[in-house]
Amino acid sequence: MEQLNQFLPFLLVFVVIYFFMIRPQQKKIKQEKEFEAGLKVGDKIITKSGFHGKIAELSEGTAVIETMSGKLKIERSAISLELTAAANKKA
């Protein structure tokens, strides 16, 4: 019984860390993967570095976007926001 009382604080700390740090991070990663999978050619996007463009081509892990100055090949994970759905929601 005394051993259980010694390990109870450690167990409680682990539970708190799980629910406040690990679980939300896993949820965020899942949402990002769903977002990347839902992208399609023709979507207007903004990259994490601030480039605005329209998706011209999609492949397994990369995307080619058309910008005012030409085409750029970027990683799908570099896309932070899809503007087409946001514009359709407002209308």
Side-chain angles (χ1 to χ4, degrees), residues 10-48:
F10 294 112
L11 183 63
L12 184 63
V13 166
F14 178 75
V15 169
V16 168
I17 288 173
Y18 176 78
F19 280 106
F20 286 107
M21 295 178 75
I22 298 171
R23 191 164 177 233
Q25 188 66 25
Q26 289 174 339
K27 197 173 186 181
K28 184 177 179 182
I29 290 170
K30 183 180 176 186
Q31 287 175 341
E32 287 178 1
K33 286 187 181 197
E34 289 173 1
F35 171 75
E36 288 176 23
L39 292 172
K40 55 191 178 300
V41 173
D43 285 346
K44 293 181 181 180
I45 54 105
I46 299 176
T47 66
K48 290 181 180 177

Side-chain angles (χ1 to χ4, degrees), residues 81-91:
L81 181 64
E82 192 267 317
L83 295 173
T84 308
N88 290 339
K89 278 185 179 179
K90 290 180 183 176

